[in-house]
Amino acid sequence: MKISVMGDAKRMTQVICNQCGKRLLTDRFGVVTEDYLHVEKTWGYFSKQDGKKISFDLCEDCAEAMFGTFAVPVYREEVTELI
């Protein structure tokens, strides 16, 4: 995710899929107009990554491809109210 800072305001200007490099579509105001998976993880005690924080973004196609590699399938549920 790319952030631009203008004064005290931070605004997202571009989201790029970390897997395939696709630049997600944005409107003229910098609002992302397609959905994606954003993951942030701060590793805690008992981890080889203790004290480190990672984050990445995946486009919908790359997220679906990753889910297909899981030994235990992801839980899926239909929702009727979208945020």
Side-chain angles (χ1 to χ4, degrees), residues 1-3 11-17 22-36:
M1 179 178 349
K2 184 177 178 182
I3 304 284
R11 127 180 128 82
M12 184 169 32
T13 57
Q14 186 71 67
V15 175
I16 302 171
C17 176
K22 174 184 175 184
R23 295 179 184 277
L24 277 64
L25 298 174
T26 57
D27 67 14
R28 63 189 180 110
F29 301 106
V31 176
V32 180
T33 58
E34 56 184 309
D35 211 353
Y36 61 98

Side-chain angles (χ1 to χ4, degrees), residues 44-82:
Y45 296 118
F46 312 113
S47 163
K48 294 177 185 174
Q49 303 295 320
D50 188 11
K52 295 199 170 55
K53 181 178 182 178
I54 63 164
S55 65
F56 62 90
D57 299 312
L58 294 177
C59 68
E60 192 170 358
D61 290 338
C62 287
E64 282 297 322
M66 180 183 69
F67 300 155
T69 68
F70 291 178
V72 178
V74 297
Y75 173 76
R76 294 179 187 263
E77 176 182 357
E78 291 290 325
V79 294
T80 56
E81 293 185 28
L82 303 176

